[in-house]
Amino acid sequence: MKKLFIKTYGCQMNAYDSARMAELLAPHGYGVTDRADDADLVILNTCHIREKAGEKVYSEVGRLREIKQARPGMTIAVAGCVAQAEGAEMLRRAPTIDLVVGPQSYHRLPEMLARGHARQVATDFPADSKFDHLPEAADRIGPSAFLTIQEGCDKFCTFCVVPYTRGAEQSRPAADVEREARALVARGARELTLLGQNVNAYRGPEAGGEPVGLGALVRRLARISGLLRIRYTTSHPRDVDDALIAAHAEEPALMPFLHLPVQSGADRVLAAMNRGHSADDYRRIVARLRAARPDLALSSDFIVGFPGETDAEFAATLALIAEIGFAQAFSFKYSRRPGTPAAASPDQIPEDVKDARLAAVQALLRRQQDDFAAAQVGRTLPVLIERPGRHEGQVVGRSPYLQGVHLRAPVAAIGSVIPVTIESAGPNSLAGRRASMVAESGAAAVQAPERMAV
Ligand code: SAH
Ligand code: SF4
Ligand code: F3S
């Protein structure tokens, strides 16, 4: 048995791809290890989104060089978005790297490995989908699984590399998605997070019919027996349509937590970013979603220090955050990405201004996150139990709002949704106790109404 070590950076789509690469390589004799130093094959599944993310790869390759000197048979592959963006340049820059394989080409890894030690690059966008070449794995998996339904982006926000690294928007046929969803549920998944760079731009081709949108897809998957929770990420405000809002109103399995990036609260900045919506558009969409699902909690992404951003424009972002109220959010300093339009702007913001804005936005978001967590204390929430905790007799699960929840329960509860009364809120998770004895086994939990206590 050869050993495979995969290190994953970036978004959940990379996490999904890493899992699929492991499944792909298993029949070729590779078993996963959690250490690079005894691996025969190391895959770095990389992210290109910000400068720091890209740089990490080369420092990791530097560390691997020493290991490889001691293990000359070792193969080092770089996958993901840096691989796609830099391609053959990576082989020139780092002699340690053997294989460079883009996010649409990793199904070719077995044939590349079979060619022995030749250094190779696969970064084309093949006409046939990688999904047609990936095997279905048979192993049991955890209660929560990712499922990529859409890839690529046609939006071309002026700061972003994704349209270049992941290519044009493409949706998998709804029938294929449903088949994979059923297979994941059969292997133990109770929650599916549908993934896409623009997941709500999903338009799944349907044999002999109209393309299927995300709202309709959610309804279809919600019928799968044993599937208790559905989530999707990342969505774009422009693609929130009536059918999706209706699904939030009517499908209890669709969790009341939504990551809906807005980036900025200033209309001039949003226009310069090419987001295709105003701050008021965002407010209206949130209001409609909240009307459909009153307990909906929101998450978002923010960029501070976009070229030309004034103090007043930054204040508009803080004001929007204060007004909407987020359960959780990510915020980033604008990072200049070569080849993107905003990188060429002469109005770059000095680093110290970006630092100060990031600190201010993060302080506000932190307060909102803490308040949201504190507001759960005393409530009884349905919690999907995911894994054993660090202490004996303890398990860890997730609330509908993706918060980690610690409680005492037998490991047999893993895979069930159980009602938990929240007793305390820490900075990163909640703690509570079981509210009743219902739904201990996976089978019983299937009937447990997810919405019961919310
Ligand atoms: N498709 C998603 C986001 C994908 S990238 C969307 O449209 O919202 C994830 C997040 O990284 C973005 O939402 C953005 O906030 C951040 N990001 C992307 N490019 C960036 C850059 N050049 N500098 C700083 N943050 C960036
Ligand atoms: Fe990047 Fe914008 Fe596409 Fe999101 S919508 S992936 S931020 S270009
Ligand atoms: Fe990073 Fe590529 Fe995801 S750039 S955020 S790994 S799509």
Side-chain angles (χ1 to χ4, degrees):
M1 179 72 114
K2 288 170 281 188
K3 288 185 181 162
L4 164 65
F5 174 72
I6 306 184
K7 185 155 181 175
T8 307
Y9 304 82
C11 62
Q12 289 107 328
M13 309 213 37
N14 265 11
Y16 173 88
D17 287 340
S18 290
R20 298 304 303 258
M21 283 191 269
E23 290 167 0
L24 171 72
L25 292 167
H28 298 273
Y30 287 91
V32 172
T33 170
D34 55 7
R35 292 171 39 195
D37 56 4
D38 67 354
D40 300 288
L41 170 62
V42 173
I43 300 176
L44 301 178
N45 197 8
T46 61
C47 173
H48 197 53
I49 200 83
R50 285 167 291 274
E51 195 179 352
K52 277 218 182 81
E55 279 168 0
K56 274 189 204 147
V57 183
Y58 287 102
S59 56
E60 189 63 35
V61 168
R63 272 194 291 280
L64 290 170
R65 188 177 55 211
E66 284 162 35
I67 300 174
K68 193 175 176 181
Q69 272 158 5
R71 287 176 70 80
M74 188 175 187
T75 300
I76 297 188
V78 178
C81 290
V82 179
Q84 188 63 45
E86 296 189 8
E89 180 57 31
M90 299 202 87
L91 295 185
R92 278 190 286 277
R93 194 169 152 188
T96 319
I97 299 172
D98 301 296
L99 306 175
V100 176
V101 50
Q104 305 307 334
S105 312
Y106 63 77
H107 57 286
R108 293 179 47 198
L109 272 170
E111 69 179 71
M112 293 169 85
L113 288 162
R115 279 193 214 119
H117 286 288
R119 301 178 83 206
Q120 300 159 66
V121 179
T123 51
D124 44 342
F125 286 105
D128 53 340
S129 162
K130 69 185 174 207
F131 293 109
D132 298 338
H133 300 274
L134 296 171
E136 256 177 35
D139 295 355
R140 297 279 308 163
I141 53 169
S144 183
F146 292 137
L147 203 180
T148 293
I149 66 167
Q150 182 279 342
E151 286 195 274
C153 181
D154 300 339
K155 304 282 190 295
F156 290 92
C157 298
T158 55
F159 51 81
C160 185
V161 295
V162 170
Y164 312 97
T165 64
R166 294 274 176 166
E169 280 174 9
Q170 243 183 338
S171 299
R172 296 175 68 188
D176 290 7
V177 171
E178 186 175 343
R179 191 174 323 117
E180 188 171 331
R182 288 186 184 280
L184 289 166
V185 172
R187 287 161 61 200
R190 294 290 168 264
E191 169 179 274
L192 292 179
T193 302
L194 310 177
L195 299 179
Q197 267 89 23
N198 270 283
V199 73
N200 57 341
Y202 179 80
R203 301 284 290 161
E206 183 76 334
E210 285 283 296
V212 180
L214 183 60
L217 182 72
V218 164
R219 287 177 192 275
R220 200 150 144 178
L221 299 182
R223 293 204 300 266
I224 298 176
S225 161
L227 180 59
L228 306 175
R229 292 182 162 187
I230 301 172
R231 304 177 183 277
Y232 60 87
T233 200
T234 295
S235 42
H236 194 293
R238 264 160 70 185
D239 294 316
V240 176
D241 62 12
D242 294 349
L244 187 56
I245 293 174
H248 276 282
E250 292 156 23
E251 282 301 341
L254 186 56
M255 289 292 93
F257 178 77
L258 180 58
H259 184 64
L260 191 63
V262 61
Q263 317 296 355
S264 168
D267 287 343
R268 192 204 61 81
V269 174
L270 289 169
M273 287 176 163
N274 191 32
R275 289 291 292 179
H277 62 81
S278 66
D280 274 347
D281 291 334
Y282 188 80
R283 289 183 180 92
R284 272 191 292 273
I285 291 161
V286 167
R288 291 187 61 205
L289 284 161
R290 282 178 165 160
R293 182 87 203 230
D295 57 345
L296 187 83
L298 286 160
S299 159
S300 198
D301 290 342
F302 298 92
I303 294 179
V304 302
F306 183 79
E309 184 187 62
T310 64
D311 286 338
E313 286 165 345
F314 174 63
T317 299
L318 292 178
L320 182 73
I321 294 171
E323 182 186 330
I324 302 268
F326 291 95
Q328 191 253 320
F330 301 97
S331 47
F332 312 100
K333 287 191 284 182
Y334 168 72
S335 171
R336 213 168 164 175
R337 306 307 287 131
T340 59
S345 164
D347 302 322
Q348 301 296 321
I349 303 293
E351 209 53 31
D352 56 336
V353 176
K354 287 193 213 172
D355 285 333
R357 288 181 185 169
L358 187 68
V361 84
Q362 290 192 336
L364 175 57
L365 290 168
R366 178 83 242 174
R367 259 196 323 276
Q368 292 194 338
Q369 183 175 335
D370 291 347
D371 290 349
F372 182 76
Q376 309 310 315
V377 176
R379 295 182 69 195
T380 297
L381 299 177
V383 172
L384 172 61
I385 309 299
E386 290 188 351
R387 57 186 168 84
R390 222 175 300 149
H391 307 293
E392 184 77 30
Q394 190 195 47
V395 293
V396 187
R398 291 208 180 260
S399 77
Y401 316 112
L402 267 190
Q403 299 150 297
V405 181
H406 298 260
L407 66 145
R408 295 189 66 79
V411 287
I414 292 172
S416 307
V417 172
I418 62 178
V420 177
T421 303
I422 305 302
E423 295 177 314
S424 65
N428 299 310
S429 63
L430 306 173
R433 68 180 152 73
R434 288 178 74 149
S436 75
M437 298 303 288
V438 299
E440 192 155 301
S441 72
V446 171
Q447 281 109 44
E450 176 74 24
R451 248 174 156 176
M452 89 216 132
V454 185

